Amino acid sequence: MTLIVGMANDDIGFLVGETMLTPLLLIKGNPIGPVNGEFHGLKIQIINGDSAIAFASSNAVDVALRVIAAVSEEILKNPSTDIFQKTKEFYLAQFLAPNEKPDCEFLVLKLAGERKRLAHITASELKFVERAYIGDQKQMAKLNDLRQPYVGAKEAHVQQPDGSFKIEPVEDSAGQIEFMEISFALERLVERRGREGVGAIAGNIIRVANARLSGQLEYLQTVMAGISLEEGAIGYSLLASNREKRGVGIYYIAGKLGFVMIVGDTEMCRKVRAETLDEFKTMARESWGLDLI
């Protein structure tokens, strides 16, 4: 299963997706047992603060990664590069390779001031859209079935400089509400896979959106916590590195292990043993330059 959903209008720009690499599962078989990072990867890659590329592929994850890497390099050299045309151009160039018929599609999200644009790119077309998904059509139908109305907080307690708190009203925009509804629906969808022997990492999803404070595209963090009679403290923290070197880190407290997924990395997912969350963050910083928060 691959499913990534995107939206872009004057209100919001976002991409939400999961991490399962279905082609690897089909090749190597379903890995029953503990968490296995080998079969997961970062399918939504933030190129810079205003550009992100998501991919889906049934047979050519390596091709999609080469395309994203090439586009990233072009943008690094020339920030004014047309990311939409370059993604299409580099993807079509892959068809020139002998014996290669890649089946990839991309969602490209671009912020340009107040304007946000989303393109759906395949070998045959480049189409600008407000909403789109890539990946498994049946899974998208299931996601729509699992989607529920989102009712957010009506007020926020905002701490003032003197230490006191002020109650301020909160009003979510239509785009923010849609973002939350899709995020929670995808969470419900992928959590079902955890019962199918693909590991606890299957329950994580990756959210990218234009952040309220910075106005730039950022990976959003997630924390899940609980208590198990068998293991004691359980749950995970999904940490994000949104400056300089971009990527995410997922740390599981009960297993004392984590996974690192880095934008532009040649490896889709790196498994790390760490006794604590702080140790995991230190290892990610020293080994790969990620500032996980």
Side-chain angles (χ1 to χ4, degrees):
M1 163 191 161
T2 286
L3 181 61
I4 299 168
V5 182
M7 176 178 169
N9 56 27
D10 291 342
D11 180 17
I12 195 170
F14 70 75
L15 294 164
V16 180
E18 42 67 61
T19 64
M20 181 69 74
L21 296 174
T22 308
L24 288 180
L25 282 176
L26 294 176
I27 293 170
K28 300 186 178 182
N30 193 0
I32 303 298
V35 176
N36 191 327
E38 181 182 1
F39 302 95
H40 298 268
L42 194 59
K43 299 180 194 174
I44 305 174
Q45 302 210 9
I46 299 177
I47 307 305
N48 56 30
D50 60 14
S51 304
I53 305 177
F55 71 89
S57 176
S58 63
N59 66 2
V61 170
D62 57 332
V63 169
L65 291 177
R66 288 203 300 269
V67 171
I68 294 174
V71 174
S72 299
E73 186 176 347
E74 287 291 319
I75 290 176
L76 183 63
K77 291 188 294 186
N78 180 10
S80 63
T81 296
D82 187 328
I83 188 173
F84 306 108
Q85 292 294 339
K86 278 297 177 184
T87 301
K88 179 73 178 295
E89 174 187 325
F90 283 129
Y91 180 40
L92 289 178
Q94 301 299 317
F95 288 85
L96 300 178
N99 303 319
E100 228 175 41
K101 295 182 179 179
D103 179 17
C104 303
E105 52 182 338
F106 302 87
L107 288 180
V108 180
L109 177 61
K110 172 75 175 178
L111 308 183
E114 294 298 317
R115 189 182 185 193
K116 303 161 190 70
R117 303 180 77 193
L118 179 69
H120 182 202
I121 298 174
T122 64
S124 60
E125 69 173 359
L126 188 166
K127 182 178 181 180
F128 288 99
V129 292
E130 182 173 347
R131 295 174 179 82
Y133 77 90
I134 54 177
D136 193 318
Q137 184 177 9
K138 291 181 179 178
Q139 297 297 327
M140 185 63 193
K142 291 180 181 179
L143 180 141
N144 286 329
D145 290 340
L146 292 170
R147 186 170 167 179
Q148 299 175 2
Y150 171 74
V151 180
K154 298 301 181 185
E155 59 184 28
H157 294 251
V158 181
Q159 190 168 20
Q160 305 302 302
D162 63 1
S164 63
F165 285 85
K166 179 182 178 182
I167 298 177
E168 296 183 355
V170 174
E171 186 174 350
D172 292 317
S173 68
Q176 290 165 344
I177 291 173
E178 184 161 350
F179 171 60
M180 296 303 293
E181 289 180 354
I182 289 174
S183 294
F184 288 138
L186 187 57
E187 276 187 353
R188 297 183 191 104
L189 182 61
V190 300
E191 280 171 359
R192 296 180 174 185
R193 289 193 316 215
R195 309 186 195 105
E196 299 170 0
V198 294
I201 195 173
N204 287 286
I205 67 171
I206 304 298
R207 300 172 175 89
V208 167
N210 54 306
R212 292 186 181 185
L213 294 181
S214 70
Q216 296 187 329
L217 294 175
E218 294 186 0
Y219 291 109
L220 304 189
Q221 299 94 339
T222 302
V223 176
M224 297 290 291
I227 299 292
S228 163
L229 291 176
E230 296 81 12
E231 298 183 76
I234 60 173
Y236 66 84
S237 296
L238 191 155
L239 310 170
S241 179
N242 286 309
R243 299 292 179 269
E244 302 297 332
K245 193 71 173 179
R246 290 177 168 85
V248 301
I250 306 171
Y251 181 75
Y252 292 90
I253 186 171
K256 297 184 178 181
L257 61 87
F259 296 91
V260 175
M261 291 180 276
I262 309 166
V263 171
D265 195 5
T266 54
E267 293 188 33
M268 290 298 292
C269 188
R270 297 174 181 268
K271 193 173 184 177
V272 178
R273 291 285 178 185
E275 288 295 314
T276 66
L277 177 62
D278 285 340
E279 182 182 337
F280 173 64
K281 292 163 62 177
T282 298
M283 293 173 69
R285 181 172 58 254
E286 293 178 349
S287 298
W288 301 289
L290 293 178
D291 183 20
L292 295 175
I293 60 172

